Amino acid sequence: MRIADRMSVIKPSQTFVVNSRALELKAQGMNVTSLAIGEPDFSTPEHIREAAKAAIDADFSHYTAVPGIPELRRAAGEYFGRQYGVTVPMESIIIAAGGKHALYNFAQAFINPGDEALIPSPYWLSYPDIVTLAGGVPKIVYAGTECGFKVTPAMLDSHAGPKTRLLILNSPGNPTGAVYTQAEMDALVQWAIDRDIFVLSDEIYDQLVFPPAKPATAVGWFAKHPDQIAVANGLSKTFAMTGWRVGYLAAHPDIIKKITTFQGQSTSNICSIAQKAALAALTGPLDCVERMRAAFQRRRDAAIRTIESWSWAVCPKPDGAFYLFMDVSRCYGKYAANSTEMCTLLLDRAQVALVPGGAFGDDNCLRISYAVADELLTDALERVGRTLSELAV
Ligand code: PMP
Ligand code: GLU
């Protein structure tokens, strides 16, 4: 079968691979708990669903403007203002089919063949592939447990070169849940600006931060340096809307125009009904978001308490998102020599699905998503703990 060469440079997204395997085993009757996929277990809040139903009833069923309906672009720009006091004008916003699509389209519009992109690691597993598909070269900058999974300007410095064009930031981070302080983020952005390196800040988990930590944003920098910063966000995590596929990007109007052309020749506008739902989300009450955030914090606390009692695992306490990234390398040996084998073993013996850390750039670790009901989480962690304790040396 003839397949284009560019397909050989991408890997399947392990989050979806592991999750499908867990669903398959469940369908076969196994009592599998999946802590694999990163999606809130909550329902989309009612006022958002109602807005979608109203849009269907009003027959809002046709093509819309490619970059999104103007009121949604405006609302996304104003949502930055609501969160951070920096309103982004509509001309600088495009609506995409999820945060992933916003990042992908940005990469297509910005990266030239051979351009290098700095990606702090552990990284969300789609970044390297998104860069590679655009012809770019991912340059991985590793920051392990000893640095709280956070890079510093000095670490970036040692990986930057004459071809470095882009720095991808992600706070709170997937898979680590690490949250940069505003001062830490400012130092990274300043470092990039001083070297004429563009910053793409993926802030999709910014509403899921646990006090006293606070979200850091690059949107203030965007207002001052619109030709050097872009900020991606989306509704999947904040509003439990993974399936609706709504994301957005704030970037220079020239970039937005080019991405609009690109979207116009590929996906066109995103679903018209989802746009009306997103409008209700971004302009509506946010107490639903606070309730979900508080639940994630409660689960984080419970999970960390359990893992801290395991002498064979190392897991920095994350300040955001809904992931734990746990170093279990002390349990590697005869039965499982790496993170992939360990996840297979845990699926077989503990019937819990986790994602191998190798997929995120750190083979010593496993990713746990705690976006599941409290009881399921407690039970699954107990099973994981029992299996790991048998392997620990
Ligand atoms: N960025 C990060 C860091 C993510 O974990 C995800 C995963 N959902 C996304 C972007 C994209 O999410 P979506 O496409 O569902 O908006
Ligand atoms: N971002 C989520 C995760 O990491 C959803 C799956 C994906 O988009 O990769 O599990």
Side-chain angles (χ1 to χ4, degrees):
M1 178 66 203
R2 186 185 195 280
I3 304 280
D5 294 345
R6 91 177 69 81
M7 291 297 113
S8 66
V9 301
I10 50 169
K11 308 169 289 301
S13 168
Q14 285 304 311
T15 46
F16 286 114
V17 170
V18 176
N19 201 54
S20 312
R21 177 86 189 114
L23 291 175
E24 254 169 52
L25 293 174
K26 252 186 171 163
Q28 289 165 20
M30 256 172 84
N31 176 26
V32 171
T33 302
S34 178
L35 306 182
I37 196 81
E39 72 172 335
D41 54 319
F42 302 107
S43 303
T44 301
E46 196 178 344
H47 68 283
I48 302 174
R49 288 185 276 140
E50 287 303 328
K53 288 182 207 165
I56 293 173
D57 289 341
D59 193 26
F60 191 67
S61 320
H62 299 96
Y63 290 132
T64 72
V66 169
I69 53 175
E71 54 271 44
L72 179 57
R73 293 174 75 194
R74 213 170 293 120
E78 284 167 4
Y79 193 73
F80 282 110
R82 208 166 158 192
Q83 299 302 327
Y84 300 114
V86 180
T87 297
V88 176
M90 177 185 137
E91 301 68 40
S92 284
I93 298 278
I94 187 162
I95 309 298
K100 190 184 277 181
H101 189 222
L103 297 165
Y104 178 85
N105 286 352
F106 171 82
Q108 291 294 322
F110 180 80
I111 294 175
N112 272 324
D115 285 353
E116 292 178 0
L118 296 174
I119 303 179
S121 162
Y123 48 75
W124 180 44
L125 43 69
S126 290
Y127 296 143
D129 290 67
I130 285 173
V131 167
T132 308
L133 271 173
V137 181
K139 287 280 160 189
I140 307 301
V141 186
Y142 180 72
T145 49
E146 64 295 347
C147 353
F149 296 126
K150 293 197 253 185
V151 295
T152 59
M155 290 157 85
L156 296 178
D157 229 17
S158 58
H159 290 77
K163 292 187 182 162
T164 308
R165 297 280 174 269
L166 182 66
L167 164 65
I168 300 181
L169 296 179
N170 175 216
S171 176
N174 179 1
T176 63
V179 177
Y180 285 83
T181 64
Q182 189 63 52
E184 287 166 342
M185 185 182 279
D186 288 349
L188 298 175
V189 176
Q190 185 68 63
W191 174 89
I193 286 179
D194 291 347
R195 285 155 188 78
D196 203 18
I197 293 171
F198 197 100
V199 178
L200 173 60
S201 182
D202 176 359
E203 303 182 0
I204 196 154
Y205 296 98
D206 70 336
Q207 306 299 296
L208 304 178
V209 174
F210 312 132
K214 291 194 190 113
T217 182
V219 76
W221 287 92
F222 171 71
K224 282 180 272 166
H225 301 269
D227 52 348
Q228 285 200 272
I229 314 282
V231 181
N233 210 318
L235 284 79
S236 287
K237 319 292 172 172
T238 306
F239 296 100
M241 290 177 70
T242 45
W244 298 76
R245 311 308 302 132
V246 190
Y248 51 94
L249 181 81
H252 191 283
D254 290 351
I255 294 182
I256 297 297
K257 276 191 211 134
K258 279 295 161 207
I259 296 178
T260 301
T261 307
F262 185 66
Q263 269 188 200
Q265 296 289 26
S266 49
T267 53
S268 306
N269 61 274
I270 74 156
C271 166
S272 56
I273 305 299
Q275 291 190 60
K276 287 289 189 181
L279 182 62
L282 294 178
T283 56
L286 296 178
D287 49 325
C288 50
V289 176
E290 173 50 25
R291 273 197 300 278
M292 293 190 271
R293 195 204 57 74
F296 289 132
Q297 182 165 357
R298 185 181 66 235
R299 294 170 188 173
R300 187 263 330 239
D301 290 343
I304 274 290
R305 263 196 310 276
T306 303
I307 294 172
E308 275 172 357
S309 70
W310 299 344
S311 57
W312 56 88
V314 181
C315 186
K317 186 175 176 179
D319 283 323
F322 36 62
Y323 307 108
L324 299 166
F325 205 53
M326 172 174 79
D327 185 327
V328 293
S329 52
R330 276 195 54 195
C331 306
Y332 290 172
K334 193 162 106 195
Y335 298 103
N338 55 45
S339 63
T340 304
E341 290 178 14
M342 185 57 86
C343 284
T344 306
L345 191 116
L346 285 171
L347 194 54
D348 287 349
R349 291 205 196 166
Q351 307 200 325
V352 176
L354 304 180
V355 186
F360 304 97
D362 191 340
D363 201 37
N364 287 335
C365 295
L366 309 180
R367 190 189 79 173
I368 298 171
S369 163
Y370 54 86
V372 293
D374 299 55
E375 322 73 74
L376 277 181
L377 180 65
T378 308
D379 174 62
L381 286 180
E382 197 190 298
R383 288 193 260 164
V384 168
R386 218 178 304 129
T387 305
L388 289 178
S389 72
E390 289 159 15
L391 302 173
V393 283

